C-alpha cells in the first residue's frame, strides 16, 4: 500500500474527513505506543481515548469487536503479530471476523502496524499503516495520514518536556544487559501498571520497589517486561544480576564507565561514583536500575541508589519490607494461565487448560514448561497430568530455548540452599522433611504435636527446641520458600497441628527434593508416615474431624504409608479412605482404594482383616459414585473368596451380604435385595446385637428396599424404629442418623402426609448443612427432597423452581451431570417445568435424564422405564398424544413386568396411560384401566392416599365420557370430600379435582 507523508492523506483514504474522536485500542505491552499516539492526535485537535484490550476467549470475537464500536468515531487498532494471539482464538477466527464483521464496518476501523513480521492476510481490510523502523516525524505523518487528520502548525503553548510522551522507538541512551523481551509474555498488565504508578508517585529519592515472591513466580519476567514496556520513560536502564554479591558489585560499578564518570577500576570507588551520579541526576535524571535476585540484604547501605530515578528489585527475601516499597507477585490469574496454555498447546480446550493451570497453582515457570511439553509433544492433557502426578515428569526440568523464562532456576535455588546450609542448617532439616510430604498444604505442626512418634536423630530437635523451630520456619518464610498457614493463635504452650501448617508449592517441592540431601530420605518418610498415623483422629464418621483427614490424605502415598506393613499405619490409611466415603470425596476415594489395593496385594492375604475392610469401603464408594456393576462384581468376588476359605468368617460374610443386598437394590432387583437384606439383619442381630453399627446399617437398608418395593407403610415403620435407635446409639448429629431422618421424611411424603414430611425435612436440611456442609452429596439430596416436599405440600410453588435449579447446579458442580443423584434432580426439575408450562426446557431435561439413566442402569431397569412416563407427559402436553400413548403403554408394560401389578409406580403409570387412552378417543379402554387401577390402589395404599384419590378422580372423568354420570358423580364427590379433609380445600390437588382437571403422576427417579 502506498504511504503518504502528510497533507494528501485525506484523498488517499477516500476523501474521509478527520474523526472528532479516536479510540486507541492496544494490548498492554503496547501502552507506550498508545500513549504516544494519544498525545500526537490530541496535539492536532483530535480527541483520543486509550483502551487496553484483551478480549476473553469465551466471548465471541465479533462481540468483543462490536463493543469497541459503541464508542463514537474511529477505532484505531495498535497491531503487531502478537496482537492476533489475544484470547487465544481457534485457528481462523481472526481471519473470519476480519473478512466478515470488520469488512462490513471498514469505515470505522483503522490500524497501525508495529512489526516487520507478516500479519494475517485479512488484516488488509484495516489498511494498517506501518510505523516500524521509522523516525518520530515520519511516524507522526503516517499516523495522521491514515486517519485523514490535517496537521496543525505548532502553537505557542507546548507541553513541558517532562509531560511529553517519548517516541517509543527511541531507545534509552544507556541500555545495560536487560534480558531480551519475551514474545510470549502473558497478562500481568495490572501488576505492571501498579508498579509504574508506585514508582512514579514515590517521593524523590525513595522510588524503590521490590517484587517479592518465590522462584518461578515470574519476578524477573515482570521486571524485564517493565524495562521494555516503559523504556521511553528512561534515559538509562541498567540491569544488575544480584545472586552473587561480587558479581552484583562489579556489574553495578560498570555503570560508571557508561556514564563516563571519572573513576578508577576499584569496585568500591566505582560504586560510590555511580551512586553519587544517580543521586544528583547528572548526567541523566531519568534512570532505572534493576537488581535481579537480590536476596541478601546486608549490603543495602552500600549498593542501594537514591535520587530522581527508580530502583526495581526482585527478591525472595521478605526483609525488603523494611527498606523499600514491596509488591507481592502472585501466580497468574486463571484466565492468564489458560490463555497462555491454549496459545502454546492448541489441542487443549478451556476445561483441560484450567485443570493443568490448577495442577501447578498458576505459577508461571511450571506452566511455561507444561505448555512447552504439551505444545511440542502434542500429548493430550489427561495423559500429561497422569505423568506429572505419578512423578514421571518433573516441574523443575529446564525449559527449552525460546520459552522466555530464565535458564537459571535451579542455579538460583542452589545458591539459596547453600546459603541456608551455612547460615541456618536447621532450615535445611525442615526442607528435607517437607520433601517426604506431598506438595501443597503440609501439617508440619504434627512434628511438635506428637513427639512420641520417634523422629530420626537428625530431626529430634524439632520436637524439643521451639526457638530453633520458630527461627528456621521464619527464615524459610522470609525467603518465600514456604508460606505459613497458621490457624488460630500460637503460643509456646499450645502448638497444635491445626495451628501450624505450611504451604509448599509443587515447584518448590520438586526443587527441594532434588537439591536437599537424600541420604536420610527413607528415614524421613518413615517418620512422616508414623506422624500421619499419630495425627489420625480415629473417627472419620465425625464431620468435625474431616478437615484433619483432608490434610492427611495427600501425604499417604509420598510418605510410603500405602506400602507400610505397620498395622497402626494401615488403620490410618483405611480411616482416610473411610473419610473419602463419608465426606463425599468419591473420586479421590476410588483412586486411593485402587492404589491401596495395588500395594497391599503384594504382601497381604485377600481375606486379611484390613483387606476385607478395604473391599467393603471400595464397594461403598463405587456405589455412591454410581458405579453399581463394579461394586457388585467386587462384592461377589469377595463372597466367593469367603466361601472358599477353610475357616469361618462370620463378620466378613455378614458385611459382604449387606453389600450385595445394596448392590441388588441399585441394580433394580428389589425382591432379591429384600430377601438377602432380611437375612443379613437377622444375622447381624444374632452376631452383634441390636445396637451395633452394622445392625443399624442393615435396618436402614431394609427400610430403603421396602420403599423401593412400594411398601411405604412398612418402610415408614422400619425407618422410624431405625431412627430412634440411631438417635440413642449414634446421637442426632451422626451422618447415619441424618440419613435415617431423611428416610422417614421421604416415607411420610410417599404416604401422602405432606405437611409432616415438610416440617421434618426442613429441620433435617438445616442439620445437614450444619454438620455435613452445603456441598455434601447427602445435603444436596436432602435439599432435593425438601423441594419435593414443598411441591407436594402445595404452599411454596413460587420458590420451588429456583430451589430445584440451585440444587441441580450444585450437584452438577460437585458430582457431575451423570451422577445418579444429579439425574434425579434433573428429572424432578423437568417435571416441575412441564407442570408450569416451560415445555421446551422440560423436554430437554427429561430427554437428558432418560438417556443418562439408560446409560447408567440399562434400559430394563425400573427407574429407566419409569422415566419414560415423564417423557410421555411432556409429549402429551406438547400435543403429541398418539406418541405419548405408545410410550406410556410401553412404560406400563415394562414396570408391570419388573415390579408386578401392585406397585405404586405401576398405579401412577397406569393413571397416565388411562388419560392418554381417553385423550386418544379410547374411552372404554381408559375406564377399564382406571377401574382396575383404583381397585388395586385402594388395596395397597388405602382409600385416602393422594394417588388413590387421583385414580378415583380419573375414573370419574372416564365414566363421564361414557355418560355414566351417576357413578361418576358419586366417585367425584367422595374424592373431593376426602381431599378436602386430608390435604385441605386450597391444596392444588383439591382445587384441580374441583375444576375437573385430569390428574397425572410424576415419576420421581430415586435409587
Amino acid at each position: 500500500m502506498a504511504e503518504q507523508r502528510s497533507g494528501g492523506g485525506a484523498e488517499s483514504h477516500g476523501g474521509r474527513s478527520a474523526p472528532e474522536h479516536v479510540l486507541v485500542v492496544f494490548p498492554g505491552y503496547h501502552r507506550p505506543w498508545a500513549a504516544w499516539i494519544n498525545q500526537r492526535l490530541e496535539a492536532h485537535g483530535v480527541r483520543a481515548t486509550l483502551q487496553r484490550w484483551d478480549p476473553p476467549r469465551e466471548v465471541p470475537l465479533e462481540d468483543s469487536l462490536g463493543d469497541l464500536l459503541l464508542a463514537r468515531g474511529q477505532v484505531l487498532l495498535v497491531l503487531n503479530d502478537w496482537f492476533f494471539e489475544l484470547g487465544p482464538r481457534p485457528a481462523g477466527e481472526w481471519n473470519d471476523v476480519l473478512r466478515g464483521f470488520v469488512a462490513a464496518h471498514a469505515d470505522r476501523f483503522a490500524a497501525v502496524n508495529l512489526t516487520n513480521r507478516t500479519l494475517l492476510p485479512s488484516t488488509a481490510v484495516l489498511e494498517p499503516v506501518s510505523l516500524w523502523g521509522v523516525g518520530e516525524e515520519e511516524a507522526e505523518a503516517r499516523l495522521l495520514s491514515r486517519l485523514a487528520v490535517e496537521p496543525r502548525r505548532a502553537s505557542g503553548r507546548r507541553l513541558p518536556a517532562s509531560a511529553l510522551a517519548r517516541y517509543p522507538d527511541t531507545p534509552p541512551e544507556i541500555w545495560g544487559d536487560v534480558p531480551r523481551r519475551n514474545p510470549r509474555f502473558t497478562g500481568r498488565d495490572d501488576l505492571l501498571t501498579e508498579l509504574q504508578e508506585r514508582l512514579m508517585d514515590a517521593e524523590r529519592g525513595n522510588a524503590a520497589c521490590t517484587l517479592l515472591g518465590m522462584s518461578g513466580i515470574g519476578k524477573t519476567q515482570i521486571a524485564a517486561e517493565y524495562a521494555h514496556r516503559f523504556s521511553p520513560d528512561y534515559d538509562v536502564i541498567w540491569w544488575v544480576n544480584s545472586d552473587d554479591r561480587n558479581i552484583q558489585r562489579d556489574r553495578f560499578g560498570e555503570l560508571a564507565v557508561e556514564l563516563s564518570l571519572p573513576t578508577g577500576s576499584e569496585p568500591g570507588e566505582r560504586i560510590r561514583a555511580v551512586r553519587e551520579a544517580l543521586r544528583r541526576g547528572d548526567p541523566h535524571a531519568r534512570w532505572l536500575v534493576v537488581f535481579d535476585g537480590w536476596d541478601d540484604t546486608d549490603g543495602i547501605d552500600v549498593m542501594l541508589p537514591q535520587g530522581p530515578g527508580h530502583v526495581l528489585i526482585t527478591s525472595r527475601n521478605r526483609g525488603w519490607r523494611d527498606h523499600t516499597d514491596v509488591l507481592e507477585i502472585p501466580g497468574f490469574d486463571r484466565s492468564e494461565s489458560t490463555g497462555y496454555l491454549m496459545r502454546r498447546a492448541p489441542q487443549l480446550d478451556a476445561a483441560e487448560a484450567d485443570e493443568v493451570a490448577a495442577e501447578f497453582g498458576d505459577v508461571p515457570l511450571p506452566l511455561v514448561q507444561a505448555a512447552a511439553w504439551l505444545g511440542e509433544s502434542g500429548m493430550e492433557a489427561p495423559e500429561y497430568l497422569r505423568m506429572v502426578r505419578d512423578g514421571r515428569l518433573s516441574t523443575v526440568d529446564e525449559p527449552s530455548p525460546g520459552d522466555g523464562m530464565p535458564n537459571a532456576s535451579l542455579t538460583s535455588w542452589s545458591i539459596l540452599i547453600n546459603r541456608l546450609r551455612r547460615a541456618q542448617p536447621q532450615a535445611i532439616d525442615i526442607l528435607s522433611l517437607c520433601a517426604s510430604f506431598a506438595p501443597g498444604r503440609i501439617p508440619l505442626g504434627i512434628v511438635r504435636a506428637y513427639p512420641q512418634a520417634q523422629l530420626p536423630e537428625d530431626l529430634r530437635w524439632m520436637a524439643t527446641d521451639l526457638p530453633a523451630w520458630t527461627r528456621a520456619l521464619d527464615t524459610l518464610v522470609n525467603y518465600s520458600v514456604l508460606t505459613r498457614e497458621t490457624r488460630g493463635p500460637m503460643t509456646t504452650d499450645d502448638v497444635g497441628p491445626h495451628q501450624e501448617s505450611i504451604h509448599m508449592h509443587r515447584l518448590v517441592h520438586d526443587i527441594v527434593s532434588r537439591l536437599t540431601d537424600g541420604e536420610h530420605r527413607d528415614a524421613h518418610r518413615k517418620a512422616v508416615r508414623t506422624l500421619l498415623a499419630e495425627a489420625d483422629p480415629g473417627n472419620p464418621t465425625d464431620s468435625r474431624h474431616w478437615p484433619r483427614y483432608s490434610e492427611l490424605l495427600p501425604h499417604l502415598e509420598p510418605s510410603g504409608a500405602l506400602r507400610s506393613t505397620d498395622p497402626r499405619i494401615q488403620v490410618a490409611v483405611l480411616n482416610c479412605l473411610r473419610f473419602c466415603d463419608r465426606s463425599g470425596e468419591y473420586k479421590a476415594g476410588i483412586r486411593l482404594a485402587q492404589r491401596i489395593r495395588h500395594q497391599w496385594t503384594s504382601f497381604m492375604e485377600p481375606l486379611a482383616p484390613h483387606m476385607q475392610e478395604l473391599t467393603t469401603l471400595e464397594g461403598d464408594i463405587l456405589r455412591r459414585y454410581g458405579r453399581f456393576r463394579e461394586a457388585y462384581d467386587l462384592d461377589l468376588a469377595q463372597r466367593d473368596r469367603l466361601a472358599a476359605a477353610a475357616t469361618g468368617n462370620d463378620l466378613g460374610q455378614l458385611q459382604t451380604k449387606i453389600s450385595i443386598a445394596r448392590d441388588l437394590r441399585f441394580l433394580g432387583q428389589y425382591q432379591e435385595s429384600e430377601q438377602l437384606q432380611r437375612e443379613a439383619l437377622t444375622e447381624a442381630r444374632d452376631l452383634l446385637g441390636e445396637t451395633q453399627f452394622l445392625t443399624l446399617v442393615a435396618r436402614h437398608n431394609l427400610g430403603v428396599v421396602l420403599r423401593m418395593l412400594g411398601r411405604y407403610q412398612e418402610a415408614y415403620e422400619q425407618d422410624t424404629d431405625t431412627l430412634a435407635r440411631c438417635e440413642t446409639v449414634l446421637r442426632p448429629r451422626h451422618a447415619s442418623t441424618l440419613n435415617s431422618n431423611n428416610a422417614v421424611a421421604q416415607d411420610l411424603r410417599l404416604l401422602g402426609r405432606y405437611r409432616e414430611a415438610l416440617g421434618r425435612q426442613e429441620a433435617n436440611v438445616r442439620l445437614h448443612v450444619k454438620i455435613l456442609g452445603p456441598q455434601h452429596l447427602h445435603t444436596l439430596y436432602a435439599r432435593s427432597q425438601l423441594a419435593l416436599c414443598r411441591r407436594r405440600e402445595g404452599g411454596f410453588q413460587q420458590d420451588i423452581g429456583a430451589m430445584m435449579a440451585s440444587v441441580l447446579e450444585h450437584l452438577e458442580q460437585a458430582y457431575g451431570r451423570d451422577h445418579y443423584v444429579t439425574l434425579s434432580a434433573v428429572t424432578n426439575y423437568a417435571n416441575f417445568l412441564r407442570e408450569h408450562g416451560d415445555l421446551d426446557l422440560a423436554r430437554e431435561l427429561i430427554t437428558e435424564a432418560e438417556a443418562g439413566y439408560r446409560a447408567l442402569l440399562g434400559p430394563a431397569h425400573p427407574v429407566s422405564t419409569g422415566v419414560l412416563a415423564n417423557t410421555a407427559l411432556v409429549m402429551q402436553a406438547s400435543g403429541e398424544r398418539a406418541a405419548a400413548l405408545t410410550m406410556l403403554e410401553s412404560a406400563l408394560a415394562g414396570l408391570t413386568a419388573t415390579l408386578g401389578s401392585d406397585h405404586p409406580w405401576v398405579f401412577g403409570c397406569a393413571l397416565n396411560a388411562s388419560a392418554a387412552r381417553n385423550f386418544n378417543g379410547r374411552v372404554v379402554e381408559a375406564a377399564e384401566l382406571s377401574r382396575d387401577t383404583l381397585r388395586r390402589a385402594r388395596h395397597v395404599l388405602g382409600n385416602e392416599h393422594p394417588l388413590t384419590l387421583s385414580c378415583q378422580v380419573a375414573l370419574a372423568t372416564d365414566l363421564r365420557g361414557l355418560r355414566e354420570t351417576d357413578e361418576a358423580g358419586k366417585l367425584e364427590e367422595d374424592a373431593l370430600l376426602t381431599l378436602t379433609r386430608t390435604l385441605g380445600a386450597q391444596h392444588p390437588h383439591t382445587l384441580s379435582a374441583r375444576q375437573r382437571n385430569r390428574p397425572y403422576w410424576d415419576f420421581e427417579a430415586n435409587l
Side-chain angles (χ1 to χ4, degrees), residues 97 137 556 558 636 720 750 779 808 879 886 946:
V97 172
E137 183 180 346
L556 296 178
L636 286 181
T720 51
L750 293 172
T779 303
L808 176 55
T886 300

Side-chain angles (χ1 to χ4, degrees), residues 871-925:
T871 305
L873 288 178
V874 175
M875 296 168 66
Q876 189 166 268
S878 301
E880 303 167 40
R881 291 186 169 183
L885 174 59
T886 300
M887 184 170 285
L888 282 166
E889 295 285 11
S890 175
L892 178 58
L895 288 175
T896 303
T898 54
L899 302 176
S901 57
D902 286 338
H903 194 288
W905 293 0
V906 175
F907 303 156
C909 195
L911 176 69
N912 293 344
S914 68
R917 291 180 182 182
N918 189 310
F919 294 152
N920 281 274
R922 295 162 55 179
V923 184
V924 174
E925 296 173 58

